[in-house]
């Protein structure tokens, strides 16, 4: 025997082997459709008996293995079922002849055979035959299962007759010597009349009868025969058959102790195999009397009339511990024979399956380790693949997951061995995928962001490289890109600098033909490969949402704050939702963004690669508001420190907007990186309110800019300074141009004055304006310009100012900051502001208005404010500050001076 059956288990010793094969040309799909229905009838209850007959089906079985049928009867093909297509009566004789030729292959051991013919109709199909069944088609064959049951009953009749024939002690008849194929030449010329030879014959026959009893469902009788065979064979040192007798004894005991089976099959076997109905109840009965059964007390049908026989079987049955000891003893006997390597290997596999049920993993591992080195003939590549796959499965069953993955990986490499003309890359890839759990490797990148790394990184990287190569040889570049991206993302910390360069270069080569995407890849076997975002290329350490520039920040109108407060609901404390409120408060930001304005998010990034990292098409991922992300391209130096990167975008609608993450394109792989998946990320909140679009106003004046600052501006305003020099009594016009550079119209204008100096007695009123001309130009549509004129007339009052000239002699002329625009800012409304045309609250058409404030004092400001109907100010103030200095002039009576006025405008 040269082909091992790695799927064998101990309970297979009680099965009858039936081979199902096609005759002629039969479509594979049709054949396996019928084979599945046939193999479903795998056990039947014997009529007029409480015994159960088990059937083992194979659609391929080496004929040379059939020659070992006398050594172990479950290896003998006792039934043959053939399936054929025959569409015409002319083809029938040739088809029937092929059926007979097929029977001759297993003719020496067959008990019975059947031929199932599909497609033949007419006179021939109407004939009633026992060995042939005719069916119109593969779909119209309802009686297949019934035919199989009748066929199994015919096998049982033959089996029972052979058992009775061998079990009956015919005094005077010479017992034949059963042999395995390689033994026949060794017994030529031996003395057949010697006592040693007769004991050998008796022992082998007892063992053979035990096999037949076990197949016939007589577990009790088989135990007795196996015990007798062990004693006889041990006395003559017939080690090969002694090992077979011990294995048979182990198999019967395993069937007794583990009626569900040890093969790990889907359906558990029924607890049958006894000739007595009370067996199941008496198996583990405490205090049961143990009596050894006398083999001579057996009747011809194998049923003992003595009621103590069932109790006595517990003595013949091995304990779970003894089962393994006897298996090891049998394996040691098999190892003495070079030609019994297959038997030895299969015995190891059966023992390991039993040890797996007994949870004795270390002993099972020792047996498997020995099975690896059992010397067989030169195996084919397919047989090697099967051998390593079964070893992997057995290691998995005993909990040795990494060892299981090791052998499965060897099987995968065997699929593409150089000696194979057509390498099976798909089979290799499938087996490699099955090794991933054994190496603590998952293809989901989220599993690598939860904590510390598990498993051996070097082995995992090697396995991922093999997956990349196998998928490329399969002709699936998208799969190669996904695996290579996964390797780069998850194993980046374990790659050397040279490996990082090699992997990224390979990735760029792959993505040049098939770019990496964020789509889910589904394999033919149903496995789904999630996308791999490059969250480490670059590494993001912090995310900060930036406020709008000071000139563009919205400002809440104070006149509407009271209304908003009155409409708020009363505060109600609830401890149930307090925690959620805290989380929402921590994520929401206290400033606002404006619809249509460019908004910024600052990222602090780090390049972990030993070379320059180019990040293309980097932009923001948002939710809640329609958002137009403006992509950016980065070029980060090798192993750079924290590097600030600003991503911008424009919200198109209003509401709450949440920054979920960012998207990148690195090495040809497009990634959507979510902030929730970034470990160690610092953020000041990711949710901000977007308010409706506001007007934008640009202001320019006719006065030149001043080179010096009159008064430092606060942080929430934008200011500039312009200057003018006037003498006492001189008048000049200040022309202010208001240009609407936004998309929203300005409908109203207010002008107010505010004092910035306490030296009220020094000057009189010197600013005046007429607002009617300017209001006539409103509403100011986008792109239009309105003109506002302020008259400056100097009036000095020097009465009661004796020390004024001395003070002014030391005075310093003042200049200011340049005017900057456009602007919009958040600022507190000034209480002193007195609107000329106050807005009507609640008016639907009151979208916006402008307010200008002027004050005729030493330092005063011009305040221009654009208001919207929702309570936000578009911009704050244009502040004009005036300060004087006396210039001495010659006069007969007294020295008089001219006043130099500097005006500072803040916008």
């Amino acid at each position: 025997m040269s082909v091992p059956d790695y799927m064998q288990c101990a309970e297979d010793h009680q099965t009858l082997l039936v081979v199902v094969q096609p005759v002629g040309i039969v479509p594979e799909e049709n054949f396996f459709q019928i084979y599945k229905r046939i193999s479903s009838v795998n056990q039947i209850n014997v009529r007029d008996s409480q015994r159960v007959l088990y059937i083992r089906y194979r659609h391929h079985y080496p004929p040379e293995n059939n020659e070992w049928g006398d050594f172990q009867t479950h290896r003998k093909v006792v039934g043959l079922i053939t399936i054929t297509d025959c569409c015409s009566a002319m083809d029938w004789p040739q088809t029937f002849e092929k059926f007979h030729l097929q029977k001759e292959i297993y003719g020496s051991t067959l008990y019975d055979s059947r031929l199932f013919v599909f497609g033949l109709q007419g006179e021939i199909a109407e004939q009633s035959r026992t060995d042939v069944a005719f069916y119109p088609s593969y779909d119209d064959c309802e009686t297949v299962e019934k035919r199989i049951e009748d066929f199994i009953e015919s096998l049982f009749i033959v089996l029972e007759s052979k058992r009775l024939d061998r079990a009956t002690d015919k005094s005077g008849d010479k017992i034949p010597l059963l042999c395995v194929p390689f033994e026949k030449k060794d017994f030529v010329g031996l003395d057949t009349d010697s006592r040693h030879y007769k004991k050998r014959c008796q022992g082998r026959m007892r063992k053979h009868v035990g096999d037949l009893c076990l197949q016939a469902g007589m577990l009790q009788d088989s135990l007795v025969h196996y015990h007798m065979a062990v004693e006889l064979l041990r006395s003559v040192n017939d080690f090969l058959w002694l090992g077979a007798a011990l294995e048979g004894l182990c198999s019967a005991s395993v069937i007794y102790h583990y009626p569900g089976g040890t093969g790990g099959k889907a359906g558990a076997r029924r607890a049958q195999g006894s000739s007595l109905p009370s067996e199941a109840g008496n198996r583990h009965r405490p205090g049961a009397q143990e009596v050894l059964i006398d083999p001579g007390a057996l009747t011809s049908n194998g049923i003992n009339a003595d009621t103590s026989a069932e109790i006595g079987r517990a003595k013949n049955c091995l304990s779970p511990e003894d089962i393994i000891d006897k298996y090891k003893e049998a394996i040691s006997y098999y190892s003495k024979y070079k030609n019994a390597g297959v038997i030895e290997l299969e015995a190891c596999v059966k023992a390991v399956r039993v040890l797996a049920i007994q949870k004795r993993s270390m002993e099972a591992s020792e047996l498997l380790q020995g099975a690896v080195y059992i010397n067989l003939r030169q195996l084919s590549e397919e047989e090697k693949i099967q051998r390593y796959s079964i070893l992997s499965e057995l290691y998995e069953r005993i909990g040795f997951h990494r060892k299981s993955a090791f052998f499965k990986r060897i099987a995968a490499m065997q699929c593409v061995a150089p000696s194979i003309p057509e390498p099976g890359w798909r089979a290799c890839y499938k087996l490699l995928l099955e090794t991933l759990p054994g190496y603590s490797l998952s293809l989901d990148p989220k599993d690598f962001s939860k904590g510390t790394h598990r498993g051996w990184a070097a082995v995992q990287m090697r396995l991922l490289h093999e997956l990349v190569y196998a998928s490329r040889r399969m002709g699936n570049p998208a799969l190669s890109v996904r695996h290579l991206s996964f390797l780069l993302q998850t194993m980046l910390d374990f790659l050397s600098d040279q490996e990082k360069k090699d992997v990224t270069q390979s990735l760029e080569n792959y993505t040049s033909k098939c770019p990496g995407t964020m789509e889910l890849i589904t394999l033919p076997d149903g496995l789904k490969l999630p996308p791999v975002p490059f969250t480490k290329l670059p590494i993001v350490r912090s995310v900060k949402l930036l406020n709008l520039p000071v000139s563009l920040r919205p400002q809440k109108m104070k006149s509407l704050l009271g209304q908003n407060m009155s409409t708020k609901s009363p505060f109600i404390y609830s401890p149930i939702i307090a925690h959620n409120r805290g989380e929402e408060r921590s994520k929401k930001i206290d400033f606002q963004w404006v619809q249509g304005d460019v908004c910024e998010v600052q990222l602090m990034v780090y390049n972990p690669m030993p070379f320059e990292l180019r990040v293309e098409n980097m932009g923001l991922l948002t939710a809640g508001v329609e958002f137009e992300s403006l992509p950016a391209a980065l070029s980060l130096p090798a192993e750079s420190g924290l590097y600030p990167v600003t991503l911008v975008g424009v919200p198109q609608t209003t509401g709450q907007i949440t920054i979920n993450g960012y998207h990148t394109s690195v090495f040809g792989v497009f990634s959507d990186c979510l902030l929730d998946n970034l470990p160690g990320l610092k953020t000041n909140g990711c949710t901000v309110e977007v308010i409706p679009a506001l007007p934008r106003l640009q202001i320019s004046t006719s006065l030149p800019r001043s080179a010096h600052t009159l008064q430092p501006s606060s942080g929430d305003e934008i200011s500039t300074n312009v200057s003018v020099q006037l003498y006492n009594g001189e008048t000049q016009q200040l022309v202010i141009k208001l240009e609407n550079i936004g998309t929203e119209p300005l409908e109203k204008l207010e002008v107010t004055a505010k004092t910035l100096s306490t030296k009220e007695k020094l000057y009189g009123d010197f600013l005046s304006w007429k607002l009617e001309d300017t209001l006539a130009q409103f509403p100011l549509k986008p792109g239009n310009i309105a003109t506002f004129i302020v008259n400056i007339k100097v009036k000095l009052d020097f009465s009661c100012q004796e020390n004024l000239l001395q003070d002014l002699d030391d005075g310093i002329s003042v200049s200011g900051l340049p005017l900057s625009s456009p602007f919009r800012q958040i600022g507190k409304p000034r209480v002193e502001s007195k609107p000329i045309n106050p807005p009507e609250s609640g008016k639907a058409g009151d979208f916006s208005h402008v307010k200008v404030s002027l004050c005729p004092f030493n330092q005063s400001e011009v305040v221009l404010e654009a208001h919207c109907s929702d309570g936000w100010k578009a911009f704050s103030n244009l502040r004009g500050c005036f300060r004087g200095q006396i210039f001495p002039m010659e006069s007969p009576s007294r020295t008089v001076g001219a006043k130099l006025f500097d005006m500072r405008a803040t916008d």
Side-chain angles (χ1 to χ4, degrees), residues 339-543:
N339 295 322
V342 173
I343 303 295
E344 179 187 359
L345 179 60
E346 292 181 357
C348 289
V349 171
K350 297 170 191 175
V352 169
R353 295 185 188 277
V354 177
L355 285 169
I357 292 181
Q358 296 180 356
K359 309 295 184 184
R360 298 161 66 178
S361 300
M362 291 305 298
E363 293 182 60
S365 175
E366 292 175 3
L367 273 177
L368 277 179
Q369 193 66 29
V372 172
Y373 298 104
I374 294 177
N375 186 20
L376 300 178
R377 63 168 178 81
Q378 188 66 28
L379 299 177
S380 65
E381 301 299 336
E382 184 177 352
E383 290 171 339
K384 291 179 182 178
I385 295 170
Q386 185 184 18
R387 182 179 186 180
Y388 294 131
S389 298
I390 293 300
L391 286 172
S392 171
E393 176 190 335
L394 293 173
Y395 272 114
E396 182 71 24
R397 290 195 64 186
I398 64 176
F400 284 43
H401 304 295
R402 193 169 64 229
K403 199 72 170 239
S404 170
F406 170 77
F407 280 103
K408 189 156 289 186
R409 181 168 166 267
I410 294 178
M413 295 298 102
Q414 208 66 47
C415 293
V416 292
S419 57
I420 299 179
E422 297 181 2
W425 287 105
R426 292 189 179 277
C428 173
Y429 179 81
K430 184 176 182 299
L431 288 172
L432 287 175
L433 285 180
E434 295 174 2
T435 65
L436 296 178
Y439 290 116
S440 302
L441 191 59
S442 166
L443 292 181
D444 191 348
K446 293 182 180 178
D447 296 337
F448 288 82
S449 59
K450 296 178 181 178
T452 58
H453 185 88
R454 295 178 63 247
W456 291 350
V459 179
Q460 292 172 344
M461 287 190 290
R462 177 67 178 271
L463 182 58
L464 289 173
H465 275 295
E466 291 169 352
L467 283 173
V468 172
Y469 187 74
S471 56
R472 183 176 70 85
R473 295 299 300 268
M474 285 167 53
N476 194 335
L479 207 54
S480 302
V481 171
R482 180 60 52 87
H483 288 312
L484 202 55
S485 302
F486 181 84
L487 186 150
L488 188 59
Q489 167 68 18
T490 59
M491 302 294 168
L492 186 64
D493 298 336
F494 304 99
L495 293 172
S496 64
D497 290 349
Q498 186 59 43
E499 288 173 335
K500 290 178 182 178
K501 295 178 181 178
D502 295 341
V503 171
T504 53
Q505 184 176 0
S506 299
L507 185 58
E508 287 180 327
N509 293 336
Y510 286 137
T511 54
S512 62
K513 302 175 183 177
C514 180
T517 64
M518 291 294 292
E519 296 178 359
L520 195 69
I521 296 180
T522 304
L523 300 179
D525 58 354
L527 180 65
K528 298 182 183 297
L529 298 183
V532 182
F534 278 160
T535 58
K536 294 184 178 180
L537 297 173
I539 298 174
V540 177
R541 293 302 187 192
S542 68
V543 175

Side-chain angles (χ1 to χ4, degrees), residues 29-182:
E29 181 180 357
N30 294 337
F31 170 77
F32 282 103
Q33 176 185 350
I34 301 301
Y35 178 80
K36 183 178 180 181
R37 294 181 59 181
I38 292 174
S39 59
S40 65
V41 187
N42 53 17
Q43 62 184 46
I44 65 169
N45 294 316
V46 180
R47 293 180 184 179
D48 302 327
S49 173
Q50 296 182 0
R51 288 183 277 172
V52 177
L53 208 62
Y54 295 94
I55 309 298
R56 187 170 89 258
Y57 295 94
R58 293 288 185 270
H59 55 78
H60 175 73
Y61 194 74
E64 59 267 23
N65 286 16
N66 199 37
E67 298 176 1
W68 289 70
D70 289 337
F71 182 71
Q72 291 175 325
T73 56
H74 72 283
R75 302 181 184 278
K76 183 187 300 183
V77 179
V78 298
L80 175 65
I81 300 175
T82 55
I83 300 171
T84 185
D85 279 342
C86 185
C87 300
S88 64
M90 297 178 60
D91 298 335
W92 168 243
Q94 184 179 2
T95 301
F96 194 69
E97 181 65 23
K98 290 180 180 179
F99 169 58
H100 280 285
L101 293 175
Q102 195 79 4
K103 286 198 299 182
E104 292 179 0
I105 299 176
Y106 308 103
S108 61
T109 60
L110 282 182
Y111 293 173
D112 202 355
S113 59
R114 291 290 185 271
L115 173 63
F116 287 177
V117 183
F118 293 88
L120 184 61
Q121 297 180 356
E123 183 179 350
I124 298 177
E126 294 174 358
Q127 296 178 4
S128 177
R129 306 184 56 144
T130 304
D131 59 343
V132 181
F134 296 95
Y135 295 102
S137 66
Y138 288 96
D139 297 325
D140 187 10
C141 52
E142 298 179 356
T143 62
V144 167
E145 289 81 3
K146 182 63 174 63
R147 292 264 189 174
I148 297 300
E149 291 178 3
D150 296 339
F151 172 66
I152 294 175
E153 289 184 0
S154 69
L155 297 180
F156 172 74
I157 294 172
V158 179
L159 172 66
E160 188 69 4
S161 64
K162 287 183 175 292
R163 184 191 65 82
L164 293 174
D165 182 60
R166 299 289 176 88
T168 305
D169 185 11
K170 300 177 181 179
S171 57
D173 292 350
K174 193 172 183 179
I175 301 176
L177 179 65
L178 302 176
C179 300
V180 295
F182 71 87

